[in-house]
Amino acid sequence: MSAEPRINDRIRVPEVRLVGPSGEQVGIVPLAKALELAQEYDLDLVEVAASARPPVCKLMDYGKFKYESAMKAREARKNQAHTVIKEMKLRPKIDPHDYDTKKGHVVRFLKQGDKVKITIMFRGREQSRPELGFRLLQRLASDVEDLGFIESNPKQDGRNMIMVLGPHKKKTEAMAEAREAQAARKAERQGNTPDAASEGDAAGAEAPGETPSEG
């Protein structure tokens, strides 16, 4: 069955509860009268509540309504937030440079509104020192506490220790901020171009008026 409503002469009932183009209640009128009004306003008669008795119909530009509905649905899909869990793996005795690099990735993920699963991988004798992994996870959580929080506390999982960090910002907020920042950068680039051009023009305009001081 089609999900689209019945419109105009596809509506087959003796009378309808009519809603005007501005949302005003016209009342119950014969179908023929409703179709006549639709033609008079150069609009469509659209059945918006088929299960009502009598069915509710509205006068509207159905083509425009469908287009606007499609645009809204497209925008909603564009802004839809998908929960993403990123993963970062560390060793208990990670060197400072590698730690800073890994932390940078975690910061980027949290800023994007994503969750981050941190895995500490133990090898050999390291498995007898789980406190090393625990302290490392606590240190990382502390270093990024302005961007995220511990959603799942550190726990041992075989040879690994796992912790999950959640972002303070929702995915939709992070996406909106990213779009605003991108628009600001674009506006800034566009704003700089005319200034640079005008300066170049001014320099060029002065050049012809210069006379050599040496004969």
Side-chain angles (χ1 to χ4, degrees):
M1 292 180 64
S2 173
E4 291 199 4
R6 295 186 296 182
I7 66 172
N8 300 326
D9 55 3
R10 284 164 47 196
I11 302 171
R12 302 295 177 87
V13 290
E15 58 185 15
V16 298
R17 186 177 296 277
L18 186 63
V19 179
S22 300
E24 69 276 15
Q25 296 291 330
V26 178
I28 297 175
V29 299
L31 177 63
K33 177 63 176 176
L35 290 169
E36 183 182 321
L37 287 171
Q39 190 172 10
E40 195 176 302
Y41 282 107
D42 194 24
L43 294 171
D44 298 298
L45 182 67
V46 182
E47 190 177 59
V48 294
S51 59
R53 292 292 178 267
V56 179
C57 295
K58 184 176 181 180
L59 298 174
M60 68 172 77
D61 183 336
Y62 188 57
K64 181 180 178 183
F65 170 76
K66 282 186 69 176
Y67 174 78
E68 290 177 348
S69 297
M71 289 300 100
K72 287 178 182 177
R74 181 180 176 183
E75 190 66 21
R77 286 194 299 271
K78 181 180 175 182
N79 293 331
Q80 187 175 8
H82 298 282
T83 301
V84 177
I85 299 181
K86 304 288 187 176
E87 186 169 9
M88 189 59 55
K89 296 182 178 181
L90 294 79
R91 295 294 308 282
K93 297 179 180 179
I94 188 170
D95 67 63
H97 176 73
D98 284 346
Y99 174 80
D100 289 338
T101 300
K102 300 277 189 178
K103 183 180 72 174
H105 291 312
V106 173
V107 166
R108 177 163 54 88
F109 295 148
L110 292 172
K111 282 184 176 179
Q112 292 172 352
D114 296 323
K115 296 181 181 182
V116 189
K117 177 184 176 183
I118 314 294
T119 302
I120 305 293
M121 300 180 296
F122 296 95
R123 291 180 184 173
R125 295 180 180 178
E126 292 174 348
Q127 296 179 61
S128 63
R129 300 289 305 280
E131 68 276 8
L132 294 178
F134 182 80
R135 283 202 295 265
L136 182 58
L137 290 175
Q138 290 295 318
R139 174 188 171 191
L140 181 58
S142 177
D143 286 347
V144 299
E145 63 183 356
D146 56 329
L147 297 171
F149 62 95
I150 299 177
E151 186 173 287
S152 177
N153 287 313
K155 63 180 179 180
Q156 198 77 25
D157 182 17
R159 295 184 178 183
N160 300 327
M161 183 174 287
I162 295 171
M163 175 181 74
V164 177
L165 295 175
H168 289 313
K169 290 181 182 176
K170 293 181 180 179
K171 184 74 172 178
T172 48
E173 293 174 357
M175 290 169 64
E177 287 186 5
R179 284 197 298 271
E180 288 174 6
Q182 184 179 10
R185 287 194 298 270
K186 183 177 179 182
E188 187 177 347
R189 288 196 300 270
Q190 291 175 343
N192 288 338
T193 304
D195 292 341
S198 61
E199 287 175 9
D201 292 343
E206 292 174 3
E210 296 177 356
T211 56
S213 57
E214 296 179 3

